[in-house]
Amino acid sequence: LLYRVLGIQLEPEEHWDGSVTVHITRCGLADGYDAVTCRLMSAADEGMMRGLNPRVRMEFRHRITEGATECIADLEFEREATP
């Protein structure tokens, strides 16, 4: 809901190994943020994901504010150790 309010449109892509690539095809914040501010906000998103679930790692690979046609973030899920 928050992303919709901020004008962010995203499409998740699930992979066979359980990881997810998130394609952000539209971002209402991109016009108002420069690349540095976007990196800070992306880091906050990454930290929020880790805070919600310590087994999830999120990393942005591409950002609209840096000239990409879409933002791309990868989510990887740590597997529980088996005894």
Side-chain angles (χ1 to χ4, degrees):
L1 179 62
L2 179 60
Y3 286 129
R4 185 177 297 157
V5 170
L6 295 174
I8 297 172
Q9 183 176 1
L10 54 88
E11 299 173 15
E13 175 188 356
E14 296 182 39
H15 303 287
W16 65 270
D17 63 355
S19 65
V20 175
T21 299
V22 178
H23 299 267
I24 300 169
T25 56
R26 190 172 140 273
C27 179
L29 303 173
D31 290 336
Y33 287 167
D34 62 12
V36 173
T37 304
C38 182
R39 279 191 172 271
L40 289 171
M41 297 302 291
S42 299
D45 284 343
E46 293 167 359
M48 179 187 66
M49 290 299 294
R50 191 66 143 178
L52 291 171
N53 185 340
R55 295 182 184 272
V56 177
R57 188 177 65 81
M58 178 181 193
E59 182 178 349
F60 279 83
R61 284 190 284 139
H62 301 287
R63 293 176 182 79
I64 295 170
T65 57
E66 295 174 349
T69 57
E70 64 182 7
C71 297
I72 297 178
D74 295 313
L75 284 87
E76 294 182 6
F77 303 86
E78 295 175 9
R79 299 173 200 257
E80 291 187 39
T82 54

